[in-house]
Amino acid sequence: MSTDQASDQASGHASDHTSDQASGEPADQAVIPTADQPLSPPAGQAESPLPTPDAAYWEAAAEAFDDEPDHGLRDPAVRAAWDTRLRSWLPSLPGDILDLGCGTGSLALLAVEQGHRVTGVDRSAGMIARARAKLAGRDAGFLVGDAAEPPVGERRFDAVLVRHVLWALPDPAAVLRRWAGLLVPGGRLVLIEGRWGEADPIGIPASELAALTTPLAERMHLEQLSHDAALWGKEVNDERYALIVHTAPGPHLTPAQARVHTAIRRPTAGSRGHG
């Protein structure tokens, strides 16, 4: 999913989809979970003039999607930067990877070249058509569907890879629980997110995403990506990062169980305390 076009409209300048670390600081950084915070702008702040990220929007964006350096990965230096990062985030042994919001399949192609088997899901049929063409003859399959409710049945994966998708989904905590339910025991979530723009930033701060994933994690690993210009094909100033969430090597909920679990945990209006 692209944020460059969206943030152009929100802040007047382009911002890429992810972030990188070249600051000399260690990749692992302590993240202090914060209380649940809304992903929408704070009260009193004007609503961001972003396009609604619906299927029609991404369908229209599919034709030119790969023109962005970090989408098409046509520049060898950008491609190499993403290949190196992805190799460190995904399992070292060949595994089954679920790429949600896969776009035109650029990251899926890197994962397949590293020996993994990839299933990609995107709500845009145009994106999926381009991904299928890009990975024709490879060990990969692509499905048109909602990243929040991946149409993969009872299949389980060694890693769920998601780049710049969660920020646009309602109820991210429930979505994260659902994604964790698609992992084999000991699997991992590879979440590439950020907070883009200056005047009216959009996205998810790393501290907030860490708080949301803490109940799912046996351990997590944060990499700041903002200062690695090679990932974006240019210098960027906003917050971009990858959060690798390693889940416990125990039994996970099935997708159906996860939905029930989410429904039980979700408070109703009558169950909330008085403020």
Side-chain angles (χ1 to χ4, degrees):
M1 175 176 287
S2 169
T3 56
D4 286 341
Q5 301 100 319
S7 60
D8 284 348
Q9 298 185 33
S11 64
H13 75 91
S15 63
D16 301 286
H17 301 309
T18 36
S19 3
D20 202 309
Q21 174 181 354
S23 61
E25 298 180 358
D28 286 308
Q29 300 184 16
V31 178
I32 302 174
T34 60
D36 288 343
Q37 302 169 349
L39 300 186
S40 55
Q45 179 176 321
E47 184 176 350
S48 177
L50 291 175
T52 301
D54 57 11
Y57 174 81
W58 296 115
E59 199 68 40
E63 183 175 357
F65 190 78
D66 277 356
D67 292 347
E68 289 293 331
D70 60 314
H71 295 172
L73 307 185
R74 293 165 175 163
D75 183 326
V78 176
R79 192 178 197 278
W82 280 103
D83 181 72
T84 298
R85 293 283 179 169
L86 203 61
R87 194 176 297 275
S88 70
W89 298 334
L90 294 178
S92 57
L93 297 177
D96 292 305
I97 310 300
L98 179 60
D99 184 0
L100 297 176
C102 65
T104 60
S106 294
L107 293 186
L109 179 57
L110 293 181
V112 167
E113 290 177 345
Q114 293 174 12
H116 299 291
R117 300 169 295 276
V118 177
T119 299
V121 176
D122 200 283
R123 68 190 309 181
S124 164
M127 297 282 191
I128 290 296
R130 286 164 173 78
R132 287 171 176 162
K134 188 179 292 184
L135 280 86
R138 306 271 189 165
D139 197 358
F142 294 92
L143 304 168
V144 176
D146 186 355
E149 292 272 6
V152 296
E154 297 300 313
R155 293 184 59 192
R156 294 294 177 273
F157 300 87
D158 297 289
V160 172
L161 170 65
V162 192
R163 181 169 72 160
H164 304 147
V165 172
L166 187 64
W167 72 275
L169 299 178
D171 201 351
V175 171
L176 286 164
R177 288 193 294 271
R178 196 172 301 123
W179 291 348
L182 295 172
L183 293 169
V184 300
R188 68 189 68 180
L189 301 174
V190 179
L191 307 172
I192 306 166
E193 284 293 340
R195 188 158 173 81
W196 305 276
E198 295 177 355
D200 294 309
I202 59 170
I204 309 177
S207 59
E208 183 173 341
L209 186 55
L212 290 172
T213 56
T214 293
L216 308 172
E218 181 181 54
R219 57 191 174 90
M220 66 179 69
H221 168 75
L222 174 68
E223 290 187 26
Q224 296 290 346
L225 306 176
S226 302
H227 304 293
D228 189 347
L231 288 171
W232 320 114
K234 61 185 177 183
E235 298 289 339
V236 299
N237 298 314
D238 38 28
E239 182 183 13
R240 305 175 188 213
Y241 62 89
L243 186 65
I244 318 304
V245 180
H246 297 265
T247 61
H252 286 149
L253 299 176
T254 67
Q257 289 171 330
R259 286 192 290 271
V260 171
H261 182 70
T262 298
I264 291 173
R265 288 173 56 99
R266 185 178 296 127
T268 62
S271 67
R272 292 174 182 157
H274 298 284

